[in-house]
Amino acid sequence: MTQQLAQTSLPRTLTRELPQHEGQTVKLQGFLHARRDLGGVQFLVLRDVSGLTQCVGSGLELPLTESSIEVVGKVKAHPKAPHGFEVQVEDFHVISAATEPSPVEIPKMEWNVNPETMLDYRVVTVRGLKERAALKVQAELVAAFRDHLRSEGFTEISTPKIVSAGAEGGANLFPIDYFGRAAYLAQSPQLYKQIMVGVFERVFEVAPVYRAEEHATSRHLNEYLSLDVEMGFIQDEEDVMSLENRLLAAIMEHLKKSSAAEFALLGATIPTVPAHIPRITLMEARKLVTEKYGHQVGGKDLDPEAERLLSQHFTETEGSDFVFVTKYPRAARPFYAHPELNADGSVDGEITRGFDLLFRGIEITSGGQRIHDHAMLMDSITAYKLKPESLEGYTEVFKYGMPPHGGFAIGAERLTAKLLGIANVRYARAFPRDRHRLTP
Amino acid sequence: MTQQLAQTSLPRTLTRELPQHEGQTVKLQGFLHARRDLGGVQFLVLRDVSGLTQCVGSGLELPLTESSIEVVGKVKAHPKAPHGFEVQVEDFHVISAATEPSPVEIPKMEWNVNPETMLDYRVVTVRGLKERAALKVQAELVAAFRDHLRSEGFTEISTPKIVSAGAEGGANLFPIDYFGRAAYLAQSPQLYKQIMVGVFERVFEVAPVYRAEEHATSRHLNEYLSLDVEMGFIQDEEDVMSLENRLLAAIMEHLKKSSAAEFALLGATIPTVPAHIPRITLMEARKLVTEKYGHQVGGKDLDPEAERLLSQHFTETEGSDFVFVTKYPRAARPFYAHPELNADGSVDGEITRGFDLLFRGIEITSGGQRIHDHAMLMDSITAYKLKPESLEGYTEVFKYGMPPHGGFAIGAERLTAKLLGIANVRYARAFPRDRHRLTP
């Protein structure tokens, strides 16, 4: 049996358009979000892409929730209904009936309730209002990312995700059988976006990247959407940080216009991006965290607790949710990171022009100036004990006049999660891949 | 030795901005595209993202071509120079010197000259004016694709490229080692975009897809950028074709504004999209090609020659570069293609609601209405001799009221190549992957 859309000459009206149709008869289409029967009066909630509409009828043969339905009825003001309007049902069709009850009741879902169940039934649970709000915000965020970069003369690129070697040196790669040859999933478009600086000077890419990291944490995904930027003809990494500052401001401005309802639904606040995001060197940051908060930082970088405390400091003292941590040591950066230069132009062996950006206690960006000089790059590869021949396809381009350049990458899911207060980054991706999850 | 950008307080001027600066001293940055010495007068051509500028100087110590350079000089009208202006060099810096001569002379490159050499040295040859024009047009095309769909209420999605089974039944998949488990690179986001219709009703995705096809042709890539669309609450596949018609019109309108220079450089014409692209059923199309052109079509589909002849027919008779070929037989479509329905609502066992779109002699889209009814889908899976259990994660969602829906996918590189008259689709991708090519 095949269901068809009901034949009616009325055009479809969306939930958000109801206020313009008070007193008129409209046709709504969507999913049966919820139903209640109160002594012969039936309340049904229709969910469409733009929201929920309460519909009131009687004597209707209602299908299971999540069925696709069509409601024709009169729009009436009703202060208690969502958006202030309800629809009095005159005609009702089932477009496509659910054949089983939903394994999770969509209106009753909450974050963090049985997370594994939520992900197991993701094909249905992703319909939840909060789940879809997160993905909608991400779509708007990505659109604003592209729009702003285009306005600054950046060109979008599409680079290979099947590669013969890793950009970071070889660890954490997923192997692919490429017609019997060994290949890998790209960890990052790093090397390709640098090559494309030689073509378009300023480039960006929005594409998935892959990290075969075994750990399962609330902040990592094995497949995520990377927002990558690279710009040429820079003076130093300050140009890159300024760009990211402007970009984040533009993204947040766009979200205020596009996504207020989603932020309200999730109880989250859109941050204000300072005209000049505070900067602190890594060395100063480590000192500050130890002296002010008594937290001893291990390793060469910041640990998660140090990131949290440092963010707290800048929120309290400068009212900024963002802080750039600059001048990373070479030991914490990949081989292509540009070293700091001494006053006489010689290379500083310890410090690079790499930076991280922290937002609300977590790193959301790594970036910096990259090495553009061929000899310096080959020295760095040797110093990192990497095999020059495995990187030959990449290093080749630096023989041909690459200008000074730098860039950064933002993990779309991590930024989305932090913006919206979602505790686990997996809920900021439609169908997350982790150590144990290959489906749905 | 590290080169630095010259310190000058002048802001950078782009080639395309020269006409606004006649008589003024400007600072240009870019690559040394070409150089000539004529009896003490030096002509250098600077290439930046916006074009070429002829600069004239003397006594300059010029580096190898492709070096990054900075020129400070006066803008002078000069009818024979590109854009009608040249720059008289007052100051000249090498920002970053090429250390080897370019393996291919960038200004002398042409399409189809030693294609394998061009691809071997892609890290440099991609800087060529024609090469970059193709990629720039593609970037604009993709931007217009997104912008138009957003204007029609579509939401962008990001779906997994690591999957546990293929969308088309299992052939032509690249295997991945996913933490010791078998997984594959996604051939298409088909199943995921359908699931997301249950969330956002109208969705699109721009992302790479993978086909492990062994053949090497001028129209196939093993990794390409797929422009995917799926929309819910449709009446039938006509709604999908109408959308694609509007979408293509919007894309071509955008290209007229954004990319006239690139089309001119490549000697290509932006097509006019008819308000109603002609439609012909596959059966009629096969008959027409045989009767009008004497071409016998094998198989169940159209072969490349038949596609060419059919396009020729519609160009000649209706002045349309586009034609929809509709009502594909089931034998030429995947299991999820929605069958045609008879007048009484029963299923036609032979014909589907699938269509192709031909453009200038080649298929650029496959699309159609999809099965949304769970029972019908399970019947189809059985009829296609596929294993229901391998598709379980996918078929599950059809128990939950999926509305009638359909969509299509456009291969970005193939459309770009046909638009620009590029004979081999590999030149419409920055770093193509084919049977033998894994680098650069």
Side-chain angles (χ1 to χ4, degrees):
Chain A
M1 244 254 313
T2 299
Q3 304 91 343
Q4 288 281 290
L5 291 186
Q7 301 291 339
T8 150
S9 57
L10 275 177
R12 183 183 177 189
T13 298
L14 291 176
T15 286
R16 68 157 171 263
E17 298 163 341
L18 287 184
Q20 305 152 34
H21 294 279
E22 188 178 348
Q24 296 169 14
T25 294
V26 298
K27 180 176 83 179
L28 297 170
Q29 295 176 332
F31 296 86
L32 181 56
H33 187 66
R35 38 177 284 190
R36 253 181 328 145
D37 205 311
L38 287 183
V41 183
Q42 294 169 306
F43 292 90
L44 38 157
V45 179
L46 178 144
R47 181 184 77 239
D48 68 18
V49 67
S50 68
L52 302 177
T53 298
Q54 177 172 293
C55 307
V56 187
S58 62
L60 306 175
E61 207 171 308
L62 293 181
L64 291 171
T65 56
E66 290 310 309
S67 296
S68 297
I69 58 171
E70 180 171 283
V71 171
V72 174
K74 190 167 278 181
V75 182
K76 210 183 143 184
H78 189 287
K80 287 186 188 167
H83 306 287
F85 291 88
E86 70 173 20
V87 169
Q88 295 178 308
V89 183
E90 294 168 4
D91 201 3
F92 177 83
H93 300 277
V94 177
I95 295 171
S96 176
T99 57
E100 285 188 16
S102 174
V104 177
E105 279 189 76
I106 300 296
K108 297 192 180 163
M109 298 190 321
E110 286 298 337
W111 302 114
N112 302 327
V113 175
N114 266 331
E116 293 302 321
T117 307
M118 294 277 278
L119 291 176
D120 288 345
Y121 295 111
R122 191 73 171 163
V123 300
V124 188
T125 58
V126 70
R127 295 181 183 178
L129 297 181
K130 291 183 177 178
E131 321 284 311
R132 81 178 190 184
L135 300 178
K136 183 65 164 57
V137 167
Q138 188 169 112
E140 294 297 335
L141 184 162
V142 169
F145 171 87
R146 290 198 194 91
D147 287 348
H148 181 76
L149 289 171
R150 284 169 55 83
S151 79
E152 290 210 26
F154 284 75
T155 302
E156 185 167 10
I157 58 174
S158 173
T159 69
K161 305 306 154 205
I162 301 180
V163 296
S164 61
E168 314 281 331
N172 297 328
L173 293 167
F174 286 114
I176 306 170
D177 175 356
Y178 192 76
F179 298 120
R181 292 165 70 188
Y184 305 94
L185 282 176
Q187 287 171 307
S188 142
Q190 182 59 37
L191 316 182
Y192 291 103
K193 66 179 178 169
Q194 290 183 255
I195 293 169
M196 294 305 285
V197 163
V199 180
F200 293 121
E201 303 176 14
R202 298 174 166 209
V203 297
F204 68 93
E205 181 167 18
V206 176
V209 296
Y210 301 89
R211 306 282 166 107
E213 290 164 351
E214 297 249 358
H215 55 223
T217 76
S218 63
R219 60 200 265 172
H220 290 93
L221 287 163
N222 294 108
E223 178 183 52
Y224 69 88
L225 192 67
S226 185
L227 311 181
D228 265 278
V229 175
E230 201 75 18
M231 73 189 293
F233 296 100
I234 61 170
Q235 197 64 44
D236 54 37
E237 79 274 32
E238 181 57 37
D239 287 341
V240 182
M241 289 189 281
S242 300
L243 168 69
E244 187 170 12
N245 201 147
R246 294 191 297 277
L247 176 60
L248 286 167
I251 290 173
M252 299 311 154
E253 275 313 300
H254 175 78
L255 291 180
K256 280 178 193 165
K257 282 177 259 164
S258 68
S259 307
E262 284 79 8
F263 276 82
L265 178 72
L266 294 165
T269 314
I270 301 174
T272 299
V273 181
H276 185 81
I277 294 175
R279 275 92 160 139
I280 184 171
T281 68
L282 178 68
M283 223 125 75
E284 290 162 357
R286 288 168 63 100
K287 202 167 148 224
L288 186 149
V289 165
T290 304
E291 290 180 358
K292 180 167 177 179
Y293 298 102
H295 176 69
Q296 298 293 333
V297 194
K300 299 272 187 178
D301 199 340
L302 297 176
D303 56 32
E305 176 65 5
E307 289 182 355
R308 200 184 62 71
L309 293 169
L310 191 67
S311 271
Q312 186 183 322
H313 169 78
F314 282 96
T315 304
E316 286 169 3
T317 58
E318 304 202 26
S320 175
D321 283 348
F322 299 88
V323 53
F324 280 116
V325 184
T326 66
K327 307 293 181 197
Y328 265 69
R330 213 167 170 189
R333 284 320 223 212
F335 72 90
Y336 53 77
H338 198 290
E340 185 52 295
L341 299 179
N342 300 312
D344 65 357
S346 65
V347 163
D348 179 316
E350 294 297 320
I351 303 295
T352 74
R353 292 182 171 175
F355 63 83
D356 274 9
L357 178 65
L358 306 189
F359 169 57
R360 292 182 180 165
I362 193 171
E363 175 241 311
I364 56 161
T365 294
S366 271
Q369 184 175 350
R370 330 295 189 179
I371 298 175
H372 62 276
D373 180 275
H374 186 258
M376 187 191 281
L377 188 65
M378 299 314 289
D379 285 350
S380 182
I381 287 173
T382 307
Y384 277 74
K385 299 189 176 23
L386 299 171
K387 292 180 197 154
E389 58 278 17
S390 75
L391 293 162
E392 205 171 343
Y394 163 61
T395 57
E396 197 62 16
V397 76
F398 295 92
K399 296 177 182 168
Y400 307 111
M402 283 294 290
H405 63 282
F408 55 89
I410 304 174
E413 295 84 356
R414 195 185 278 188
L415 178 55
T416 306
K418 280 317 280 187
L419 274 173
L420 297 173
I422 298 171
N424 192 316
V425 70
R426 295 191 293 175
Y427 293 104
R429 189 156 176 85
F431 302 99
R433 293 290 174 259
D434 61 33
R435 178 76 184 75
H436 303 288
R437 190 169 296 279
L438 250 178
T439 55
Chain B
M1 244 253 314
T2 299
Q3 303 90 344
Q4 287 281 290
L5 290 187
Q7 301 290 339
T8 150
S9 57
L10 275 176
R12 182 182 177 191
T13 298
L14 291 175
T15 284
R16 68 157 172 262
E17 298 163 341
L18 287 185
Q20 305 152 34
H21 294 277
E22 189 178 350
Q24 297 169 16
T25 294
V26 299
K27 180 177 82 179
L28 296 170
Q29 295 176 332
F31 297 86
L32 181 57
H33 187 66
R35 38 177 282 189
R36 254 182 326 147
D37 205 311
L38 288 183
V41 182
Q42 294 168 306
F43 293 89
L44 39 156
V45 180
L46 178 145
R47 182 185 76 239
D48 68 17
V49 66
S50 68
L52 302 178
T53 298
Q54 177 173 290
C55 307
V56 187
S58 64
L60 306 175
E61 207 173 305
L62 293 181
L64 292 170
T65 57
E66 291 308 310
S67 296
S68 297
I69 58 171
E70 180 171 283
V71 171
V72 174
K74 191 167 276 180
V75 181
K76 209 183 144 184
H78 189 288
K80 286 186 186 165
H83 306 288
F85 292 88
E86 68 174 21
V87 169
Q88 296 178 308
V89 183
E90 294 167 4
D91 201 2
F92 177 81
H93 300 276
V94 177
I95 296 171
S96 176
T99 56
E100 284 188 16
S102 173
V104 177
E105 279 190 74
I106 299 296
K108 297 191 177 161
M109 298 190 322
E110 286 296 337
W111 300 116
N112 302 328
V113 176
N114 265 333
E116 292 302 321
T117 307
M118 294 277 278
L119 292 176
D120 287 345
Y121 296 109
R122 191 72 171 164
V123 301
V124 188
T125 59
V126 69
R127 296 182 183 178
L129 296 180
K130 291 183 176 178
E131 320 285 311
R132 81 177 190 182
L135 300 179
K136 184 64 164 59
V137 167
Q138 188 170 111
E140 293 296 337
L141 184 161
V142 169
F145 171 87
R146 289 198 194 92
D147 286 349
H148 181 77
L149 289 171
R150 284 169 55 84
S151 79
E152 290 210 26
F154 284 74
T155 301
E156 186 168 11
I157 57 173
S158 174
T159 69
K161 305 305 155 202
I162 301 179
V163 296
S164 60
E168 315 280 331
N172 297 327
L173 293 167
F174 286 114
I176 306 169
D177 175 357
Y178 193 77
F179 298 118
R181 291 164 71 186
Y184 305 94
L185 281 176
Q187 287 172 309
S188 141
Q190 183 58 36
L191 315 183
Y192 291 102
K193 65 179 179 169
Q194 290 183 255
I195 293 169
M196 294 306 284
V197 164
V199 179
F200 293 120
E201 302 176 15
R202 300 174 164 209
V203 296
F204 68 93
E205 181 167 19
V206 175
V209 297
Y210 301 89
R211 305 283 167 106
E213 290 165 352
E214 297 249 359
H215 55 222
T217 77
S218 63
R219 59 200 264 173
H220 290 93
L221 287 164
N222 293 108
E223 177 183 52
Y224 69 89
L225 191 67
S226 185
L227 311 181
D228 265 278
V229 175
E230 201 75 18
M231 73 190 292
F233 297 101
I234 62 171
Q235 196 65 43
D236 53 38
E237 78 275 31
E238 181 57 37
D239 287 341
V240 182
M241 290 190 281
S242 301
L243 168 68
E244 187 170 12
N245 200 148
R246 294 191 298 278
L247 176 61
L248 286 167
I251 289 173
M252 300 311 155
E253 274 313 300
H254 175 78
L255 291 180
K256 279 178 195 166
K257 280 175 262 168
S258 67
S259 307
E262 284 80 8
F263 277 82
L265 178 73
L266 294 165
T269 315
I270 301 174
T272 299
V273 181
H276 184 82
I277 294 175
R279 275 91 161 141
I280 184 171
T281 68
L282 177 69
M283 222 124 77
E284 291 162 357
R286 288 169 64 100
K287 200 167 152 225
L288 185 150
V289 165
T290 304
E291 290 180 359
K292 180 167 178 180
Y293 298 102
H295 176 68
Q296 298 293 334
V297 194
K300 299 273 188 178
D301 199 340
L302 296 177
D303 55 32
E305 177 64 5
E307 289 182 357
R308 200 185 62 73
L309 293 169
L310 191 67
S311 271
Q312 186 183 322
H313 169 78
F314 281 96
T315 305
E316 287 169 4
T317 57
E318 305 202 24
S320 175
D321 283 347
F322 298 89
V323 52
F324 280 116
V325 184
T326 66
K327 307 292 181 198
Y328 265 69
R330 213 170 170 186
R333 284 319 222 213
F335 72 91
Y336 54 77
H338 197 290
E340 186 52 296
L341 298 180
N342 299 312
D344 65 357
S346 65
V347 163
D348 180 315
E350 295 298 318
I351 304 296
T352 73
R353 291 182 171 175
F355 63 84
D356 274 8
L357 177 65
L358 305 189
F359 169 56
R360 293 182 180 165
I362 193 170
E363 176 241 310
I364 55 159
T365 294
S366 272
Q369 184 174 351
R370 330 295 189 180
I371 298 175
H372 62 276
D373 180 276
H374 185 258
M376 187 191 281
L377 188 65
M378 298 315 289
D379 285 351
S380 182
I381 287 173
T382 307
Y384 276 73
K385 299 190 179 18
L386 298 171
K387 291 180 200 154
E389 57 278 16
S390 74
L391 293 162
E392 205 171 342
Y394 164 60
T395 58
E396 196 64 15
V397 76
F398 294 92
K399 295 176 182 169
Y400 307 110
M402 283 294 290
H405 62 282
F408 55 89
I410 304 175
E413 294 85 356
R414 194 184 280 187
L415 177 55
T416 305
K418 280 316 279 186
L419 274 173
L420 296 174
I422 298 171
N424 192 316
V425 70
R426 293 190 293 174
Y427 294 104
R429 190 156 176 84
F431 302 99
R433 292 290 174 260
D434 61 33
R435 178 74 182 78
H436 304 286
R437 191 169 293 280
L438 249 178
T439 54

